[in-house]
Amino acid sequence: MFEQFAAARYGALRRTGYLLCGDWHLAEDLVQSTLIKVYARWPRLRDPDTAGGYARTTLVRTFVDGRRRRSAGEVASAEPPETAAVGADPDRRLALLAALARVSPGYRAVLVLRYWEDQSVEECAAILGRSSGAVRSDAHRGLAQLGTILGDSVHEIAGS
């Protein structure tokens, strides 16, 4: 049962991990750490249908905790991903991903959960272990930081 869950959720977790850390290899490491933690907890999960939410929460918290510690000594790169961007405008996507990689990790976690994972403020608060007000504040500040990083190119990315 866990193997099926891991296979089904791996891609989504990896994409979210990439958005958080900005590196596909680090995202894979983050997903592996997450799946190890979920596997250890698997027998105690009351409802396996909630495992996806638990895995996402574990992924984000593992990322934020790892950024706080900085024990690995790895530095995120502002280089474009190794794979081609898929979408209507690859240049816009790369510029946005590069800017997102420069946002503070805590704000980045909120932005990814709110706007990529489409989580509500309350769901983000539960995942991050914070109040709803703190999530709203971090989303506002994260968007402001993203706008500052993008500067004049924010109008180009927005398509205006």
Side-chain angles (χ1 to χ4, degrees):
M1 180 99 160
F2 175 79
E3 293 81 10
Q4 294 167 339
F5 166 79
R9 296 291 299 163
Y10 186 84
L13 289 170
R14 184 172 176 255
R15 283 186 300 275
T16 300
Y18 174 77
L19 289 171
L20 290 169
C21 66
D23 180 279
W24 286 111
H25 298 292
L26 293 176
E28 288 177 7
D29 292 345
L30 186 60
V31 172
Q32 291 300 318
S33 296
T34 297
L35 290 175
I36 288 168
K37 291 175 183 179
V38 172
Y39 179 76
R41 178 94 169 142
W42 192 260
R44 294 185 302 243
L45 289 176
R46 291 189 183 116
D47 182 7
D49 294 335
T50 63
Y54 178 76
R56 183 177 32 254
T57 299
T58 303
L59 178 86
V60 172
R61 288 184 180 174
T62 300
F63 166 75
V64 171
D65 289 347
R67 299 305 278 183
R68 282 185 192 141
R69 279 190 225 113
R70 295 238 187 231
S71 60
E74 296 179 24
V75 178
S77 171
E79 296 176 21
E82 295 173 5
T83 59
V86 178
D89 187 351
D91 293 332
R92 181 184 297 177
R93 180 181 172 100
L94 289 175
L96 187 56
L97 289 174
L100 183 62
R102 293 178 51 203
V103 172
S104 302
Y107 294 160
R108 189 179 331 146
V110 171
L111 293 177
V112 167
L113 286 172
R114 285 283 292 133
Y115 304 109
W116 176 264
E117 292 283 330
D118 199 29
Q119 300 292 309
S120 70
V121 170
E122 292 74 23
E123 290 167 327
C124 290
I127 289 170
L128 296 169
R130 311 212 36 221
S131 70
S132 295
V135 169
R136 279 190 288 276
S137 175
D138 285 353
H140 177 75
R141 290 178 180 148
L143 288 171
Q145 192 176 69
L146 189 61
T148 300
I149 291 166
L150 290 170
D152 292 335
S153 64
V154 73
H155 299 294
E156 295 170 19
I157 289 175
S160 41

